[in-house]
Amino acid sequence: MKKMLAAVMACAVALACPFSLAACHVEEYSSLVRYYNKFDTTARLVVTADFADEANKRSLSELGTAVESFLGELESSLSSSVEGSCIARFNAAEAGEEVEIDELTYTVLSQAVEMYEFSGGCYNPAVYYSVDLFGFSPRFNELTWQAPLTSRRPYDRLTENGGAVTALAAPDEEYVNIFKELASHMSELEVYQREGRYYAAKPAFTVTGPQGDEYSLALDLGGIGKGYAADVVTSMMAEYGFEYGFFDFGSSSVSALASHESQSGEWELNLTDPDDPYGGAYARVYISSAALSSSGDYEKCYTLDGVTYCHIIDPFTGRPIEYGIAACTVVGGSAARADALTTALSVMGADSAVQFVNGHLRDYKVVMAVRGEDGPCRSVLTNVPDLEFNSKYVLAGSSDGAGGIVLV
C-alpha cells in the first residue's frame, strides 16, 4: 500500500540541495561535523559516536586531518580549474597527445570511461566546453558576477558595465553544435598503464569556431570525482573505527554507514521537491550502509528570455536538458557510479530511463520526479516498494516487486 506525505514534510530539508538526511537522537551518542571546501563546493563529514570517550575524539581529529589531505590530493589531480592538475594538463594538451596522469586520476577516469560506455554515452564527461558555454563552470561562480572574468574565451556571450559582468546572453548556436560534436568523440579517449605509469591519450579530432579558434576534447570529472571521494572517505571512517555517520559532497554524492541514531538503523533520506527546493520534499526513502547520488535541474539554473537553463548537459544535443526528469536519486553500488547514473538517467528522459532501470539497475533503488512540458513536476517514477511521496505528485511508475518499474 502506498504511503502519502503532506505537501511539506515534517523533516529538515536541505535548502536548494537534492536531499537531506535525518535520524532520531540517542542520548549516549552525538554527531560531530567537519566541513571541507573543495571543487568549488562544500563537503561534509558527519560522524556519530560516544564523544565522551577521549579515544573517539582523538580518532575523529586524526580522521579529519586524513580526509583534508585526501580531498586536497583529489582536487589537485581532478579539478579542471586547478592549474597544473592532471585534468587541467589533459585539457590543455594538443589533440592526439599522450598525457601522463597520476594513479588517482587514472582510477577515476577509468570509472568515467566505464560509465560512459555502460550508459550508452548519456553520461559523458567530455561535455566540458558545453558546460562552460552555458555558464556552469567554476569561472561563473557567484563572485564572478561582481567582477570581470579572470579569463575570457572566444565564445563568451557576456555584457559588462564598468568592467563587471552583468549578464549572460544565449550562446552562439554554432558553438553549441561544434562542442556537441567534440563530446561525441569521447569513445576515442584512451586510458592505460605502461611500465608502472599512467596515461591518457586525447582523440586526434578537433573543431574550429567561427573566429578560427580550435578546440580538442576536454574533460570535467567534478561530479564522478565527488562520488569517488564519498566512497573513499566512508572507507576511511571505518578504518578509524567509526561505524555510524556519512560523508556528502556538495549534497549530491553521499556514502553512509549504518545509523546508530535511528532505532531502525537507517538514515531517513528526504528528496527535495524540484518545484519547492527551499521548503519541501517530494519523496522519502531509508538507507543504511549505502552509497547514493542525487541530481536535479533546479540545483544550478537561470532563466534567460523566458527559457530556463540547468547545469545538466545532454551530450546528444549539446544543450541543458529542458524537461522530463527534474530530480533523480540512485541508491546502491558506489557513490561514483551512482553519480554518473543520476546524470545519465536525467539525460535519457522518463521513458528511456524506465527501460534502463528495468534492464540494468534492478539491484539499485531509483526515485525520479518528472517535469511536464508545461513546467511543473507532477509525477514520480520509482522501483522502491511502498515509496512515501508527496500527495501533490502522482505515482506514474511503481515497483514491479523485482527491482524494476512498471508504469501505472
Side-chain angles (χ1 to χ4, degrees):
M1 181 176 66
K2 65 183 180 182
K3 302 176 183 178
M4 309 295 283
L5 299 181
V8 178
M9 304 169 85
C11 60
V13 179
L15 300 184
C17 294
F19 52 77
S20 67
L21 287 164
C24 301
H25 179 67
V26 175
E27 190 169 343
E28 67 271 20
Y29 278 67
S30 59
S31 295
L32 294 182
V33 185
R34 297 288 185 272
Y35 293 96
Y36 307 88
N37 293 313
K38 301 292 180 183
F39 287 92
D40 301 297
T41 189
T42 300
R44 177 177 52 153
L45 172 66
V46 179
V47 178
T48 300
D50 178 7
F51 287 111
D53 185 332
E54 291 297 323
N56 283 337
K57 288 183 179 179
R58 288 193 299 271
S59 293
L60 179 60
S61 177
E62 294 170 0
L63 171 63
T65 300
V67 170
E68 178 72 39
S69 177
F70 165 69
L71 294 180
E73 179 185 357
L74 188 73
E75 185 176 45
S76 65
S77 295
L78 298 184
S79 176
S80 61
S81 61
V82 172
E83 185 176 356
S85 73
C86 291
I87 292 302
R89 289 190 293 103
F90 175 90
N91 290 349
E94 298 292 328
E97 186 176 342
E98 177 186 80
V99 179
E100 185 172 359
I101 56 178
D102 60 24
E103 184 177 7
L104 186 53
T105 304
Y106 171 81
T107 299
V108 178
L109 184 52
S110 296
Q111 291 186 30
V113 170
E114 177 189 351
M115 294 309 298
Y116 167 79
E117 295 171 348
F118 179 69
S119 68
C122 290
Y123 165 73
N124 187 341
V127 294
Y128 169 88
Y129 280 113
S130 298
V131 170
D132 192 62
L133 178 66
F134 282 92
F136 293 108
S137 66
R139 293 194 305 142
F140 298 91
N141 57 33
E142 291 181 2
L143 293 179
T144 295
W145 302 106
Q146 309 302 320
L149 283 173
T150 55
S151 62
R152 298 296 297 269
R153 296 180 176 178
Y155 51 79
D156 285 339
R157 298 290 294 273
L158 307 166
T159 59
E160 298 186 14
N161 182 11
V165 176
T166 58
L168 178 69
D172 187 321
E173 285 299 317
E174 186 165 355
Y175 280 107
V176 173
N177 291 328
I178 66 170
F179 291 155
K180 174 187 69 175
E181 185 178 7
L182 187 62
S184 72
H185 287 259
M186 172 65 191
S187 61
E188 298 168 20
L189 169 70
E190 297 180 50
V191 186
Y192 48 89
Q193 300 181 53
R194 187 175 65 239
E195 298 178 353
R197 304 172 85 167
Y198 305 93
Y199 302 89
K202 297 187 78 164
F205 181 79
T206 62
V207 294
T208 303
Q211 301 180 54
D213 41 319
E214 187 174 80
Y215 303 90
S216 61
L217 187 137
L219 299 171
D220 179 357
L221 296 181
I224 198 170
K226 295 182 183 73
Y228 178 77
D231 294 325
V232 172
V233 172
T234 304
S235 296
M236 294 171 67
M237 292 166 65
E239 290 172 7
Y240 280 85
F242 295 108
E243 299 178 73
Y244 314 112
F246 65 89
F247 178 80
D248 75 82
F249 212 145
S251 291
S252 59
S253 300
V254 168
S255 192
L257 300 172
S259 169
H260 187 80
E261 293 188 324
S262 170
Q263 293 181 353
S264 66
E266 297 179 317
W267 291 97
E268 179 184 287
L269 184 69
N270 300 296
L271 308 181
T272 301
D273 187 343
D275 290 340
D276 186 17
Y278 293 95
Y282 80 92
R284 176 186 294 160
V285 295
Y286 299 90
I287 65 167
S288 179
S289 300
L292 63 115
S293 179
S294 283
S295 187
D297 65 4
Y298 57 90
E299 295 174 65
K300 298 178 183 177
C301 61
Y302 60 87
T303 300
L304 182 66
D305 298 328
V307 178
T308 298
Y309 301 91
C310 79
H311 73 290
I312 304 173
I313 302 295
D314 182 341
F316 301 109
T317 66
R319 305 181 64 85
I321 60 173
E322 295 180 359
Y323 60 87
I325 296 176
C328 179
T329 295
V330 173
V331 181
S334 68
R337 189 175 181 87
D339 186 277
L341 286 171
T342 57
T343 299
L345 292 170
S346 297
V347 166
M348 290 177 192
D351 292 341
S352 295
V354 168
Q355 294 177 23
F356 191 83
V357 170
N358 290 346
H360 302 284
L361 303 181
R362 288 181 174 269
D363 292 332
Y364 294 74
K365 292 180 179 179
V366 181
V367 186
M368 298 174 282
V370 181
R371 189 182 302 283
E373 294 186 38
D374 58 346
C377 293
R378 293 194 173 89
S379 59
V380 176
L381 298 169
T382 186
N383 64 353
V384 178
D386 294 325
L387 178 75
E388 298 178 13
F389 62 95
N390 194 309
S391 59
K392 79 174 188 179
Y393 281 78
V394 173
L395 191 64
S398 61
S399 170
D400 66 1
I405 299 174
V406 57
L407 298 179
V408 177

